[in-house]
Amino acid sequence: MNVSQYKTKTFVLEVFAILLALLFLAPFYLVLSNSVKTLKEILLDAASFPQIFHWSNYSSVWKMIDFPQAFWNSLQITLLSVLLIVLFSSMAAYQIVRRPTKFNSFVFLLLVSAMIIPFQSLMLQLVRVTSLLELRGELYGIVACYLGFGMPLSVFLFHGFIKTVPLELEEAARVDGSNPYGVFFRIVFPLLMPIMVTVVILNTLWIWNDYLLPVLIIGGNKDLTTLPLAVTKFFGQYTKKWDLALAGLVMAIVPILLFFLSLQRYIVEGVTAGSVKG
Amino acid sequence: MKRALVARKGWSQQIVFLGPCLLFFLTIVITPFILGFYYSSTDWNGLDLNKAVWTGSANWSRILHDDNFWHSLNFTLRFTVISVVIANILALVLAFLLMGALKTKNVLRTVFFMPNVIGGILLGYIWQFIFTKGFATIGDLTHISFFELPWLGTPNTGFWGLVIVFVWQTAGYMMIIYIASLAGIPKDLIEAAKIDGARPHQLFTSVYVPLIMPAITICLFLTISNAFKMFDLNLSLTKGGPGTSTQSLAYNIYSEALINNRYGLGTAKALLFFAAVSIITITQVLITKRKEVSA
């Protein structure tokens, strides 16, 4: 009696949850299905399933935004930034934990407090600083910016994790004659794997999706246009070429969605670890 | 002699390990931030800094009479309160739903989290299409007045449009945090409360909520600061329109500087923005932290 009651209740909840999920997915369906329609068909009926699949929307957009180039730009910027953030922030966090001098503790406090600063509060001056340093319009310039903005949270996450790494391991390596760099790169760095996954995922998601920083820093250099920047082309004030715009949207979304679906388990864990510690 | 060597070694290690991090952090974050205090009192137009004249408190008194600024502050506060409440309630409901014995719970968790991996700028464009074309078509077919509203055409519907998209984007992320927190509650505690005869709502307010308070602190912090700083979504969904009725604070600063070319004034607004974000988030964290208990 009790068991069957429980089952019906669960079943009702399950149906409710699935309906809610379909509602959540509906926007994606509308974008996907309309991206293979002609403009006329979209304007007439945006809800119906496409009668004929017009893949030409995709091939036009592919050429119009030079998709391979934009994809490559986004990939390059994201990969370089994330790799260097992982390297530099883990080293910094290690030094701060293992040598807690007054200066190092102050640096940590500064990094953590900087997390509150909204991007808008420094973007105008950043444009100025990056111009002076000739970082604007350059690949290494935008990567340098991501390093600066990625550092606080990443150092914070590594810091919390390194505190739990037992010192004995390092002492043993020292006794065996390893120098400080050897200790870090051979012993400590591999141990940081779990939190590294989190740092990689959190930084990849925001850097890949970022819009305003690329506008300000590489806006003038068309050769460095990232995917999100490329797609905004279709959303000018007076153009309503939905057929092309939707195909462009799908093409911009697919790479990051594939990244998510293939690493889904780690991403969910990484996000949890990142926020609980944050 | 030996001590000096050790000390020098210490220095080189300090520079190698901390140097790169400090270099980028100081150049990209701290220097611009400090410069802001100077620029906020000049009439800098974004072009020639040498011609930026010190104007004292002129920018500040100008902000006092800037209706647009106060309107966008008001808009942002309203948006933050409403969307934070809705997003967190929905996230909690989803977390409780997907905690239990549902067969599809893993797939559903993925689905609800999905909007989060896509950037705000693209989400805004997706919904621009849904609101203007998708809803219109559904409205024509079903004549449900909800779908027939001019979604991005009036200040009021534009506001709710932004809330809908923000909640759609954020709820899944917060759901994941709440699930992790709920999973950490010892089962016997819930059992004990049930045996003591706690009703469902008592179970929720007296057992679950106090125990997941750390997660509530984090989720509120994240949603409040994200909602208060909303920019991408605002830019791609409504462009602050119609008029400037749905202009968020972040977007107001952006347009002041980059469209009106008033960088000095923009910097002053940006400093106020920073102060507001800090006060609001720190207050929230202090309040909710105090309510945290340990199991």
Side-chain angles (χ1 to χ4, degrees):
Chain A
M1 169 78 192
N2 214 345
V3 172
S4 77
Q5 214 176 18
Y6 176 73
K7 271 184 182 161
T8 352
K9 200 183 143 204
T10 318
F11 180 73
V12 172
L13 284 178
E14 183 125 31
V15 171
F16 174 68
I18 291 174
L19 287 177
L20 212 57
L22 290 178
L23 196 66
F24 250 70
L25 285 176
F28 290 117
Y29 165 74
L30 279 174
V31 167
L32 257 181
S33 64
N34 283 294
S35 72
V36 288
K37 291 180 187 172
T38 59
L39 186 58
K40 205 175 141 198
E41 210 182 332
I42 296 173
L43 296 180
L44 271 176
D45 186 356
S48 67
F49 194 76
Q51 315 243 287
I52 309 162
F53 287 66
H54 285 273
W55 297 111
S56 60
N57 292 343
Y58 283 87
S59 51
S60 313
V61 170
W62 184 280
K63 275 181 234 133
M64 280 170 80
I65 62 172
D66 196 351
F67 181 82
Q69 181 68 41
F71 178 80
W72 172 238
N73 290 339
S74 280
L75 191 69
Q76 250 189 123
I77 293 172
T78 310
L79 271 181
L80 267 176
S81 309
V82 171
L83 282 177
L84 292 175
I85 287 174
V86 167
L87 182 66
F88 293 156
S89 58
S90 62
M91 284 164 65
Y94 176 71
Q95 183 74 359
I96 292 169
V97 173
R98 290 292 181 246
R99 201 167 298 198
T101 58
K102 267 196 188 130
F103 176 76
N104 286 357
S105 309
F106 172 72
V107 168
F108 184 63
L109 190 71
L110 197 65
L111 280 161
V112 174
S113 344
M115 283 195 264
I116 306 183
I117 305 177
F119 180 69
Q120 273 77 13
S121 296
L122 42 86
M123 65 177 183
L124 304 175
Q125 307 90 289
L126 179 69
V127 170
R128 176 72 194 161
V129 169
T130 49
S131 300
L132 277 177
L133 298 173
E134 300 189 356
L135 293 170
R136 285 187 78 196
E138 303 290 344
L139 176 69
Y140 57 81
I142 183 105
V143 170
C145 290
Y146 283 129
L147 291 186
F149 289 115
M151 229 45 103
L153 179 67
S154 309
V155 171
F156 181 70
L157 291 171
F158 278 123
H159 183 273
F161 192 85
I162 292 172
K163 275 199 294 191
T164 66
V165 174
L167 201 57
E168 285 79 10
L169 275 172
E170 293 172 43
E171 278 164 353
R174 288 305 283 270
V175 171
D176 290 346
S178 187
N179 67 24
Y181 306 108
V183 171
F184 179 73
F185 286 106
R186 294 215 194 97
I187 315 285
V188 181
F189 199 68
L191 289 175
L192 301 181
M193 213 29 144
I195 199 70
M196 217 178 285
V197 173
T198 300
V199 172
V200 166
I201 285 165
L202 292 179
N203 282 300
T204 304
L205 287 181
W206 81 265
I207 294 175
W208 181 276
N209 285 321
D210 193 27
Y211 172 77
L212 190 48
L213 189 61
V215 166
L216 296 171
I217 303 296
I218 61 179
N221 184 354
K222 294 272 178 285
D223 298 337
L224 271 178
T225 299
T226 60
L227 264 183
L229 286 197
V231 174
T232 54
K233 248 184 231 169
F234 298 107
F235 292 87
Q237 201 138 27
Y238 304 105
T239 51
K240 283 290 173 252
K241 292 194 169 160
W242 284 116
D243 45 346
L244 298 177
L246 293 177
L249 270 181
V250 174
M251 285 161 70
I253 289 167
V254 163
I256 194 73
L257 216 52
L258 286 180
F259 171 78
F260 168 63
L261 291 175
S262 56
L263 295 172
Q264 196 230 106
R265 202 170 67 91
Y266 302 99
I267 291 181
V268 168
E269 273 168 23
V271 161
T272 319
S275 53
V276 172
K277 297 245 167 74
Chain B
M1 177 68 196
K2 206 175 170 205
R3 261 182 77 153
L5 200 73
V6 171
R8 242 203 345 257
K9 239 184 175 172
W11 266 109
S12 65
Q13 196 191 325
Q14 173 89 356
I15 290 167
V16 171
F17 278 85
L18 205 56
C21 167
L22 266 185
L23 172 73
F24 290 106
F25 176 63
L26 291 178
T27 320
I28 301 300
V29 181
I30 298 300
T31 310
F33 182 66
I34 292 172
L35 282 176
F37 288 93
Y38 170 71
Y39 291 158
S40 61
S41 295
T42 67
D43 63 355
W44 182 32
N45 61 9
L47 301 169
D48 195 346
L49 198 68
N50 301 325
K51 284 189 192 146
V53 176
W54 179 267
T55 56
S57 60
N59 286 333
W60 302 100
S61 52
R62 197 163 164 176
I63 291 172
L64 272 181
H65 304 288
D66 184 340
D67 289 343
N68 260 349
F69 179 78
W70 295 107
H71 174 83
S72 61
L73 175 67
N74 179 22
F75 168 86
T76 306
L77 285 173
R78 253 187 333 133
F79 173 81
T80 304
V81 171
I82 291 175
S83 52
V84 164
V85 170
I86 299 179
N88 280 283
I89 291 176
L90 180 59
L92 265 174
V93 170
L94 292 176
F96 273 105
L97 257 180
L98 301 185
M99 267 287 294
L102 302 197
K103 287 195 182 76
T104 49
K105 69 178 175 194
N106 288 331
V107 181
L108 294 182
R109 284 180 189 183
T110 308
V111 168
F112 289 123
F113 186 79
M114 225 159 73
N116 241 288
V117 293
I118 300 163
I121 201 91
L122 299 178
L123 292 182
Y125 288 138
I126 291 178
W127 279 87
Q128 200 188 322
F129 176 72
I130 307 293
F131 281 133
T132 54
K133 290 283 161 287
F135 275 20
T137 311
I138 300 170
D140 283 346
L141 292 173
T142 61
H143 296 291
I144 299 172
S145 55
F146 176 83
F147 293 108
E148 289 176 319
L149 292 172
W151 271 96
L152 303 178
T154 72
N156 197 28
T157 50
F159 174 86
W160 285 102
L162 284 163
V163 171
I164 290 173
V165 184
F166 183 86
V167 169
W168 178 71
Q169 178 189 14
T170 317
Y173 196 113
M174 303 306 140
M175 168 197 77
I176 292 290
I177 301 174
Y178 284 129
I179 286 177
S181 176
L182 285 170
I185 296 178
K187 288 244 170 9
D188 43 339
L189 239 117
I190 307 295
E191 302 273 312
K194 276 183 185 162
I195 290 167
D196 287 348
R199 303 189 158 276
H201 72 271
Q202 286 174 321
L203 200 63
F204 179 74
T205 52
S206 316
V207 183
Y208 280 117
V209 168
L211 287 177
I212 61 166
M213 212 54 205
I216 295 179
T217 302
I218 296 152
C219 287
L220 283 182
F221 174 79
L222 289 173
T223 41
I224 289 175
S225 61
N226 286 341
F228 202 79
K229 293 192 278 195
M230 176 186 61
F231 174 79
D232 286 12
L233 202 60
N234 202 201
L235 176 76
S236 57
L237 187 64
T238 64
K239 266 201 184 300
T244 54
S245 57
T246 62
Q247 199 176 57
S248 70
L249 261 186
Y251 191 76
N252 180 271
I253 293 166
Y254 170 87
S255 68
E256 189 69 82
L258 293 147
I259 296 168
N260 300 338
N261 278 324
R262 295 191 198 113
Y263 275 55
L265 186 60
T267 317
K269 287 182 172 183
L271 272 184
L272 277 183
F273 184 48
F274 163 71
V277 172
S278 323
I279 292 169
I280 291 172
T281 51
I282 291 172
T283 313
Q284 174 260 315
V285 170
L286 287 179
I287 291 174
T288 46
K289 270 254 174 232
R290 217 179 296 154
K291 300 217 158 103
E292 287 180 17
V293 295
S294 48

